[in-house]
């Protein structure tokens, strides 16, 4: 009877091994599920970025407002007869006098 109990316990262990540690076992399933959740989060982030880029492309194709905005902020361009004022940031620990703080630039 003792050898029967030992044989059944050994059989149980042999049957449980593939379930937990085998190629398609629970540990592998949990690992793949974790990787799937990480990939879904990455996809969500990329979808938001792509939607923003798509909206930007549509704006650039439809009108001049987006092109003008890019020209102003990225290239520093201004319209004809427009006044451009630049205020420099103060350096920490240094106070600038009105003469040093820069003036008003005007393009004509």
């Amino acid at each position: 009877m003792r050898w029967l109990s030992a044989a059944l316990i050994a059989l149980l262990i042999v049957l449980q091994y593939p379930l937990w540690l085998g190629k398609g076992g629970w540990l592998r399933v949990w690992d793949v599920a974790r990787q799937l959740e990480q990939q879904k989060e990455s996809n969500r982030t990329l979808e938001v970025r792509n939607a923003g880029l798509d909206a930007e492309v549509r704006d650039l194709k439809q009108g001049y407002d987006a092109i003008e905005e890019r020209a102003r902020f990225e290239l520093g361009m201004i319209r004809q007869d427009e006044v451009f004022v630049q205020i420099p940031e103060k350096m920490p620990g240094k106070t600038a006098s009105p003469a040093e703080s820069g003036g008003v630039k005007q393009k004509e």
Side-chain angles (χ1 to χ4, degrees):
M1 191 66 175
R2 189 154 171 81
W3 65 270
L4 182 61
S5 296
L8 288 176
I9 289 174
L11 181 64
L12 182 65
I13 291 172
V14 167
L15 290 175
Q16 289 292 314
Y17 176 79
L19 177 66
W20 292 98
L21 303 172
K23 187 175 182 179
W26 285 109
L27 295 177
R28 177 74 176 139
V29 169
W30 288 331
D31 185 45
V32 170
R34 182 186 52 80
Q35 290 176 2
L36 178 64
E37 288 302 318
Q38 287 177 345
Q39 187 63 46
K40 283 182 180 180
E41 183 62 35
S42 174
N43 288 352
R44 282 185 216 109
T45 304
L46 292 174
E47 284 174 358
V48 168
R49 185 197 68 169
N50 287 348
L53 290 173
D54 184 47
E56 189 173 342
V57 166
R58 273 188 270 115
D59 285 346
L60 288 171
K61 284 183 178 179
Q62 288 178 355
Y64 292 106
D65 292 337
I67 296 170
E68 181 180 342
E69 181 182 347
R70 280 188 168 248
R72 286 178 179 275
F73 291 109
E74 292 180 9
L75 302 175
M77 299 177 92
I78 59 174
R79 287 184 181 169
Q80 191 173 4
D81 299 328
E82 189 173 51
V83 176
F84 176 69
V85 178
Q86 183 176 9
I87 301 172
E89 295 181 20
K90 291 182 181 178
M91 297 295 278
K94 183 178 178 183
T95 58
S97 66
E100 295 174 345
S101 65
V104 176
K105 293 182 181 179
Q106 183 173 1
K107 183 177 179 178
E108 297 188 31

